[in-house]
Amino acid sequence: MSIAPRYLPNYTLDDYQHWEGDWELIDGIPFSMSPSPFGLHERIVSRVSRMIGNQLDRNCPDCEVYTNLDWIISNTTVIRPDLMVVCGNQPERHLEYPPALVLEVLSESTRGRDLSAKRSLCRENQVPNYLIIDPIPRSLTLVTPIDETQFAASDSIQISLQACCQVNVDCRQLFDK
């Protein structure tokens, strides 16, 4: 039996709040968010943010889009998704309850964490919608508590955020110039 796990770092929210730079903390283990994302990644985040934000302004005034907002899940877990939609009470500082939507655009440096740890965290914390956008094959995966559905670049996705609030993500607008 290996003794290596007892030597892994185990940091808390208090430690995290004193670090310089951009970090995520998952089960006490820090993950650097450097280097910053590349152009394709940011274009997709920007496009989907505008797309969803415009619909929320028209149809769901109770919901708001956030990019670069920390979601404090526990004393040992803080993540910063590419995009979150929060409905109801809006956070003044950091989010401390599950959002209606978490969205991640996969990149080389975050792919493994987004597909495993963050997907698990969203399921465990009852996030109703976890949308994963993979820019290279131009595909999307919507993970809900009961289902997981793949979509192609030519599809359109309807996502229910709350009882009377739905948004539509037109995948063509995310990838085409």
Side-chain angles (χ1 to χ4, degrees), residues 6 40 57 113 162:
R6 73 177 176 175
L40 175 61
D57 287 345
R113 194 164 58 248
Q162 58 183 16

Side-chain angles (χ1 to χ4, degrees), residues 111-121 130:
R111 175 178 295 275
R113 194 164 58 248
D114 292 343
L115 291 174
S116 60
K118 288 187 181 179
R119 179 185 287 181
S120 294
L121 286 168
Y130 180 53

Side-chain angles (χ1 to χ4, degrees), residues 149-166:
T149 308
Q150 292 273 75
F151 297 92
S154 59
D155 291 334
S156 186
I157 305 169
Q158 190 161 7
I159 302 172
S160 294
L161 299 175
Q162 58 183 16
C164 54
C165 178
Q166 297 182 350

Side-chain angles (χ1 to χ4, degrees), residues 58-71:
R58 288 190 304 270
N59 306 320
C60 310
D62 207 24
C63 300
E64 196 68 46
V65 173
Y66 292 92
T67 57
N68 283 318
L69 181 68
D70 286 348
W71 173 22

Side-chain angles (χ1 to χ4, degrees), residues 16-96:
Y16 174 85
Q17 292 173 332
H18 294 93
W19 295 339
E20 291 184 24
D22 291 325
W23 296 86
E24 288 184 314
L25 181 64
I26 299 176
D27 292 330
I29 300 173
F31 294 90
S32 174
M33 295 179 64
S34 295
S36 63
F38 293 138
L40 175 61
H41 180 279
E42 286 303 291
R43 269 194 309 279
I44 292 170
V45 171
S46 176
R47 288 176 182 181
V48 76
S49 177
R50 282 193 314 266
M51 186 185 305
I52 291 174
N54 288 338
Q55 293 174 68
L56 294 179
D57 287 345
R58 288 190 304 270
N59 306 320
C60 310
D62 207 24
C63 300
E64 196 68 46
V65 173
Y66 292 92
T67 57
N68 283 318
L69 181 68
D70 286 348
W71 173 22
I72 300 172
I73 298 172
S74 72
N75 191 45
T76 59
T77 302
V78 180
I79 62 172
R80 188 179 305 160
D82 290 324
L83 182 145
M84 291 186 290
V85 174
V86 176
C87 298
N89 293 332
Q90 298 300 313
E92 290 300 317
R93 296 188 57 145
H94 304 295
L95 185 64
E96 296 187 30

